[in-house]
Amino acid sequence: MSISSYCILKNEAEFVRDCLRCLAWFSEEIILVVDPTSTDETLQLCEEFAYATNIVKIIQRETPWSLAEQREFTRQQCAGDWICTLDGDECVHAAILQALPEMLASNVDAFMFPRLVMGPDKFHYLHKGGDVDPQIKLFRNDPSIKYETREGGV
């Protein structure tokens, strides 16, 4: 079972190295969609990582009005059996990394993870309304699973 991972990036220079290191632990392929209007060193850092690892593909593409459209475009670039998606300031907790082989062998199509976000205190779980904010971060690469724009969000 192979994993393709992707990030959609704009002005993520502060944390993108740590995010990419995390993804490289378990990904056979990493797709990075970098917004060319980024004003920091995001693209340069991604290019350096791509050169060092040979598993990274960089696509420069402005973010359209819909984040769902950008996510769907990026999802279509992934070749792995499974897809993991992270924001440029996120990483995957070690306990989830240890559980990946069992997760991939299951009959489940998608997994929600708590959002482990990098910040001034290094790592913290993102909370929304006092609760940890889990999101689908790992799912089967199945053409029937798509991102769609809906009223009020992605």
Side-chain angles (χ1 to χ4, degrees), residues 4-9 29 31-36 57-79 83 85 139 141 143 145-149 154:
S4 293
S5 293
Y6 77 79
C7 293
I8 297 171
L9 304 167
E29 168 188 59
I31 309 291
L32 302 175
V33 175
V34 180
D35 191 317
K57 177 181 177 183
I58 299 172
I59 301 167
Q60 291 189 57
R61 184 176 195 249
E62 272 193 61
T63 305
W65 70 271
S66 163
L67 183 55
E69 181 183 330
Q70 189 79 319
R71 287 179 175 165
E72 181 59 19
F73 167 82
T74 308
R75 183 198 64 76
Q76 292 174 10
Q77 310 308 306
C78 296
I83 297 173
T85 177
F139 54 92
N141 190 356
I145 299 173
K146 295 182 180 187
Y147 286 101
E148 295 179 349
T149 303
V154 178

Side-chain angles (χ1 to χ4, degrees), residues 3 26 92-106 111 113 138:
I3 300 175
F26 60 88
V92 178
H93 192 279
I96 293 171
L97 292 175
Q98 289 178 324
L100 273 177
E102 186 178 325
M103 293 164 71
L104 300 180
S106 75
F111 293 93
F113 301 164
L138 180 69

